[in-house]
Each structure stands twice: as C-alpha cells, then as structure tokens.
Amino acid sequence: MRLVELNVSTASQGGHAVVTASGELDLYTAPRLQTVLAGLLRENVDRVVVDLSGVEFCDSTGMNVLLAAMKRLKEQGGTLELAAPRPAVKRILQVTGLDTVFDVHDALPALDVT
C-alpha cells in the first residue's frame, strides 16, 4: 500500500486566509487539515477559502473536517468556502448534497492575500 500524503499550506492577510490542500484527504490525512483549520479559528480569521485544486480524493472524514470548520467559523461570524474542486471531489459534494451547504467556487476567488 502506498502512502499518499496531504500537503497543506496557508496564506493569510487581514482576516482572510487561503488554505491550499494537495494529495488525498481521508481518514489518515484529515487531521493535518483539521489542525490547520483549528489554528485559523483560534486566530479569529473571518473568511477561509480552501483551495481543493490539488486534492485528488476526499472521503467522508475529509468532508466532516470541512463541515466542522465551516460550522465553527459560522458561529464566529465567518465563512468557509471551497474553491476549484477536481471532478471527483465535486461529484462527492453533489452526491452528498454538500454542494448546497458549502459555497463552492470553480476557481480560487480573488482575495487580498499576498
């Protein structure tokens, strides 16, 4: 079994953050994304965009991490958006109905992030 990593990087400025994930988002790698998102929540970021363009696969664990982060951000008055999901991830969002729960962009929206 080959181990697929999940790489997560963050760029933030002025209360906005872009989280870029690449690899596979599943039971084994989701905690890495969860840690990054939890850190942003502690920093009181009010808008998080998760760039999914590099995510090849996402299972229910990954979706739950995104949902939990969105819920906590909403409680703090913020938003969590998804950007540029690949067809496989987009299909999961559609099949589960989560495409109506998340704000999903076809491309990364322009943010004032350097």
Side-chain angles (χ1 to χ4, degrees), residues 26-109:
D26 59 22
L27 178 65
Y28 303 103
T29 61
R32 186 169 301 146
L33 179 62
Q34 189 170 22
T35 300
V36 170
L37 292 171
L40 290 172
L41 286 164
R42 283 193 298 276
E43 293 171 25
N44 293 323
V45 171
D46 58 13
R47 182 182 183 198
V48 176
V49 177
V50 181
D51 179 359
L52 296 173
S53 60
V55 175
E56 296 144 30
F57 173 80
C58 181
D59 71 1
S60 60
T61 310
M63 286 295 162
N64 283 332
V65 165
L66 292 169
L67 271 172
M70 184 185 70
K71 184 171 178 266
R72 288 193 45 208
L73 260 169
K74 267 189 176 166
E75 287 167 1
Q76 294 180 6
T79 60
L80 183 137
E81 302 160 40
L82 305 181
R86 288 186 177 192
V89 176
K90 201 173 210 174
R91 175 129 177 82
I92 293 165
L93 289 166
Q94 290 166 343
V95 167
T96 57
L98 291 174
D99 59 335
T100 61
V101 174
F102 287 108
D103 197 355
V104 183
H105 306 281
D106 288 334
L108 194 60

